[in-house]
Amino acid sequence: MERAAIYHQPFSAYAYGYDKETLHIKVRSKKDDIKEVVMIGADPYLHTKVGWQSENIPLQKVATTEEHDYWMVAVKPTQRRLQYGFVLTDTTGEEVFYGGRGFYENTEDNRAVMDYYFKFPFLHESEVFKAPEWVKETIWYQIFPERFGNGNPDISPKNVLPWGSKDPRRDDFFGGDIAGIIEHLDYLVELGINGIYLTPVFEASTNHKYDTLNYFEIDPHFGDKETFCQFIQEAHKRGIKVMLDAVFNHIGDKSLEWQDVLKNGAKSEYVDWFHVHSFPVTPGENGNIEGKNTLSFDTFAYTMHMPKLNTANPAVQKYLLDIATYWVREFDIDGWRLDVANEVDHAFWKSFRKAVCAEKDDLYILGEIWHDSWLWLLGDEFDSVMNYPFTQTIIENYVEERITPSKMVSGISDQLMRYQEQVNHVMFNMLDSHDTARLLTRCDGDKDKAKLALAFMFAHTGSPCIYYGTEIGMDGADDPLCRKCMEWDEAKQDKEMFSFMKHLIAFRKKHQQTLTYGDLVWHTVDDENRRVIFSRTHNGTRLTFVFNQAEEAITLTKADFTDMSALQDAWSEKALEEVAVPAKSFVVLED
């Protein structure tokens, strides 16, 4: 028995409140080392003359990675208190007792020592992670406003280029605006979209608007507040939620606040709004050269155009929280996506959550974090993060083929085990965005690869997002080419891809409960033939997915599903002897 691989920690992803009466308990062990895990648990105060009245509750193996197995059980302590330990039995029959003080011989005397157990003192409903229910049913569509539609040419910048006339450069403007989005809301409804994520819409000098000048105004090239209000109302009328992008890590260098620091230096009333190490902060002086690590003030990356805000400053906190609550209160937005969220202090995000949720208790809070994010997902900061580790795992297998299917399955299992189950239900899943090359380009134009990756993403827990244009076959390399103008000429749209995405979204909506809550079981992971078979099961419904990456079609018979008796029975009832899976494609079986 490899004891060094065995792990459990209360008040973490290994032991947490799933709802007001249910605890989820998990244990990790070395892969293929342990054959049985039994929890010894009960209320810590439940004693009689014969001793502590504990129960033996078996755990189920729920996930496997390259290195570990994960075991889990859901329990409902009557008094919402739990004292517990584990008896683990390995494949040779060796047993060990594992508790809060470590490992002990599995004897009656050791099991009787109450100090050896883990403790979950009380399940407080207020401490249970809760995210908005509506997110689980949402199919997101990310829009880069400057490139989606020009609905009001009168407000376009003077240097605007004809729509889609060329591949964009970093500083190009094509006149996209809020009116252009309103014009195409019915198009999104036809596709099946019920959530829009907009990159920044506030006043800024660039086309991307991540260098905010005034957070209280819509950029004049995008429209005004009246137009924005109309957009929200029209979206809501169609059952579409709207999430805005908040850039609170930094501000634009042309903002009033930073310009005052440039002018007045250490005497500026805003000097403590920023992280200035030495003066002057003037471009070209004191090491302040764009892109260099010699800057005399903190910025986003090394760009002088985006000085970092000091969110520990009470004045900055008030300013940003006033912004965050204003757009919720006055315009009824449904969510905030938080840019560079991992570089802002946790204390601020805790205050942010309290403030915005006081305005709207089911507001969705999404952090832009590209790495493991458990510290932000404990229930007092974010509801979700942009699930880039999940994204990359799918891309590396189905698009780049630089990892094996088994490596992909290991990565996905590891990712699911990192967070509480409720967190996984609302994770923001996507395959591309304004910060990455487009999916079709990453697939070198291979549409079948793109479809495999999209279908695989839609088959898993979380809230899926489509980057604008993916549904009609738009391509584009890294920024700025991933930010091309939306193609509205139907003759240039990939109608077959649109039909595929429309059906994929409809499938997701039809089976949302199963694809959100369903147990995930991997039945076949075949590296040699690049074939994966898995199922999602919930409330008597089982969906079985067969993904074939190979260049040749395959035919499966009932013998390929020997561990799935229910599916075999369903096949017999339908007189189904085999199923064909085309090359670089997939099938879904329902029983």
Side-chain angles (χ1 to χ4, degrees):
M1 182 183 295
E2 185 62 69
R3 295 187 181 186
I6 297 169
Y7 181 77
H8 174 81
Q9 176 63 52
F11 311 107
S12 72
Y14 288 83
Y16 59 88
Y18 177 71
D19 56 36
K20 65 181 180 181
E21 58 183 20
T22 308
L23 287 175
H24 281 184
I25 306 293
K26 288 190 290 193
V27 174
R28 189 193 72 191
S29 64
K30 180 183 176 182
K31 181 181 180 181
D32 297 331
D33 184 40
I34 301 298
K35 71 176 182 180
E36 182 182 57
V37 180
V38 174
M39 183 176 76
I40 303 172
D43 189 302
Y45 301 109
L46 192 60
H47 290 270
T48 68
K49 292 181 180 180
V50 296
W52 182 46
Q53 300 301 292
S54 62
E55 297 181 72
N56 292 347
I57 306 171
L59 277 69
Q60 299 296 317
K61 188 188 295 186
V62 294
T64 296
T65 68
E66 290 180 313
E67 297 85 16
H68 298 113
D69 290 329
Y70 291 85
W71 307 76
M72 179 175 169
V73 67
V75 294
K76 296 186 177 184
T78 304
Q79 304 300 326
R80 291 184 284 172
R81 300 181 295 251
L82 187 66
Q83 177 173 277
Y84 61 100
F86 306 98
V87 174
L88 296 97
T89 306
D90 72 8
T91 54
T92 69
E94 179 186 352
E95 292 183 346
V96 69
F97 174 80
Y98 173 50
R101 295 267 302 278
F103 297 97
Y104 294 88
E105 185 180 353
N106 183 32
T107 65
E108 184 175 346
D109 285 346
N110 283 335
R111 293 193 303 271
V113 180
M114 297 298 99
D115 190 45
Y116 287 172
Y117 286 82
F118 292 106
K119 307 291 193 296
F120 204 104
F122 199 83
L123 173 53
H124 294 278
E125 184 178 3
S126 62
E127 295 176 351
V128 174
F129 178 97
K130 294 175 185 156
E133 284 293 318
W134 59 264
V135 178
K136 302 171 187 177
E137 303 174 358
T138 302
I139 311 295
W140 294 99
Y141 190 88
Q142 183 190 352
I143 293 176
F144 192 80
E146 218 281 322
R147 305 289 159 77
F148 191 65
N150 188 338
N152 184 2
D154 291 340
I155 62 172
S156 295
K158 292 181 180 179
N159 57 341
V160 67
L161 297 168
W163 191 259
S165 56
K166 58 186 286 293
D167 284 344
R169 294 174 301 183
R170 290 191 181 275
D171 299 325
D172 286 340
F173 288 86
F174 290 90
D177 52 33
I178 302 298
I181 301 174
I182 296 173
E183 283 185 359
H184 297 292
L185 286 175
D186 289 337
Y187 164 85
L188 298 182
V189 171
E190 180 188 358
L191 182 59
I193 298 301
N194 55 4
I196 294 174
Y197 154 42
L198 295 180
T199 55
V201 296
F202 308 120
E203 186 176 358
S205 59
T206 59
N207 54 43
H208 55 71
K209 311 301 178 191
Y210 281 99
D211 57 335
T212 316
L213 304 182
N214 187 343
Y215 294 89
F216 284 101
E217 294 294 338
I218 299 294
D219 189 273
H221 298 308
F222 284 172
D224 53 26
K225 289 179 180 177
E226 183 179 354
T227 306
F228 182 74
C229 184
Q230 179 190 0
F231 161 64
I232 296 291
Q233 291 173 350
E234 291 295 328
H236 285 173
K237 187 188 301 182
R238 292 165 172 79
I240 298 175
K241 303 285 189 180
V242 177
M243 177 166 61
L244 297 187
D245 207 325
V247 189
F248 288 173
N249 174 69
H250 51 269
I251 199 169
D253 64 334
K254 295 181 182 178
S255 62
L256 177 153
E257 295 82 6
W258 183 250
Q259 286 295 311
D260 193 270
V261 175
L262 278 173
K263 178 181 178 181
N264 298 308
K267 296 181 180 179
S268 170
E269 63 178 300
Y270 296 106
V271 67
D272 292 332
W273 279 47
F274 304 95
H275 300 268
V276 179
H277 307 300
S278 65
F279 291 96
V281 293
T282 309
E285 301 180 31
N286 196 21
N288 294 313
I289 302 170
E290 180 69 17
K292 300 295 184 181
N293 65 354
T294 55
L295 303 180
S296 67
F297 56 96
D298 291 345
T299 63
F300 168 66
Y302 292 118
T303 174
M304 293 187 299
H305 303 296
M306 299 180 183
K308 182 177 176 64
L309 288 164
N310 176 15
T311 49
N313 183 321
V316 174
Q317 292 174 10
K318 182 180 185 307
Y319 174 63
L320 297 179
L321 295 180
D322 284 348
I323 293 161
T325 54
Y326 172 77
W327 292 96
V328 178
R329 181 175 60 254
E330 300 298 329
F331 296 90
D332 196 27
I333 66 168
D334 304 290
W336 278 114
R337 182 263 193 187
L338 309 173
D339 189 59
V340 202
N342 56 341
E343 296 186 23
V344 176
D345 63 282
H346 290 280
F348 174 78
W349 288 136
K350 294 179 196 298
S351 298
F352 175 91
R353 182 179 187 88
K354 289 179 181 178
V356 296
C357 289
E359 297 289 343
K360 192 171 189 175
D361 61 7
D362 67 343
L363 191 87
Y364 183 48
I365 304 174
L366 170 69
E368 185 209 8
I369 301 180
W370 292 54
H371 52 76
D372 179 53
S373 308
W374 71 270
L375 193 57
W376 289 267
L377 296 170
L378 300 179
D380 56 353
E381 294 186 44
F382 306 160
D383 296 313
S384 175
V385 293
M386 301 183 79
N387 202 4
Y388 278 107
F390 177 75
T391 300
Q392 282 303 108
T393 301
I394 296 175
I395 292 290
E396 288 173 2
N397 178 59
Y398 283 109
V399 176
E400 300 171 347
E401 296 187 1
R402 62 190 299 264
I403 63 172
T404 61
S406 60
K407 181 76 171 179
M408 175 191 69
V409 169
S410 175
I412 289 173
S413 297
D414 178 75
Q415 190 68 17
L416 290 172
M417 291 297 104
R418 287 178 181 271
Y419 303 129
Q420 300 175 48
E421 190 172 341
Q422 318 93 293
V423 174
N424 292 326
H425 292 163
V426 295
M427 286 295 274
F428 192 86
N429 295 337
M430 69 286 168
L431 294 178
D432 50 4
S433 73
H434 67 292
D435 286 324
T436 71
R438 284 184 171 273
L439 176 62
L440 193 59
T441 294
R442 298 183 81 170
C443 292
D444 292 326
D446 189 329
K447 193 166 67 171
D448 290 334
K449 278 188 174 183
K451 287 180 176 180
L452 275 173
L454 286 162
F456 190 86
M457 179 183 76
F458 269 67
H460 287 276
T461 295
S463 189
C465 179
I466 302 164
Y467 188 39
Y468 78 95
T470 292
E471 75 281 5
I472 55 168
M474 283 181 59
D475 61 5
D478 290 325
D479 176 20
L481 295 177
C482 58
R483 303 174 181 184
K484 291 181 181 179
C485 293
M486 177 66 176
E487 182 57 73
W488 292 114
D489 183 348
E490 293 191 12
K492 298 179 181 179
Q493 294 179 347
D494 186 332
K495 291 298 185 180
E496 192 276 334
M497 189 66 175
F498 182 86
S499 178
F500 169 81
M501 289 305 305
K502 185 175 178 179
H503 282 90
L504 188 60
I505 292 169
F507 173 83
R508 174 80 192 195
K509 288 182 173 180
K510 177 182 177 182
H511 296 288
Q512 181 266 321
Q513 291 284 310
T514 301
L515 297 176
T516 297
Y517 301 106
D519 294 335
L520 170 62
V521 177
W522 303 98
H523 300 285
T524 299
V525 182
D526 183 344
D527 289 345
E528 182 179 354
N529 298 299
R530 300 199 76 88
R531 180 189 309 165
V532 174
I533 303 174
F534 62 94
S535 63
R536 305 295 310 280
T537 307
H538 179 68
N539 284 348
T541 296
R542 174 157 54 184
L543 301 172
T544 301
F545 298 83
V546 183
F547 280 79
N548 175 28
Q549 285 180 259
E551 298 287 343
E552 300 82 26
I554 59 174
T555 299
L556 302 177
T557 67
K558 288 187 287 186
D560 292 292
F561 299 90
T562 54
D563 63 336
M564 302 177 64
S565 58
L567 182 60
Q568 286 186 317
D569 293 342
W571 281 21
S572 298
E573 291 173 7
K574 299 173 184 176
L576 180 62
E577 295 301 323
E578 60 185 31
V579 58
V581 187
K584 295 163 64 175
S585 189
F586 65 96
V587 297
V588 185
L589 306 171
E590 182 177 356
D591 67 289

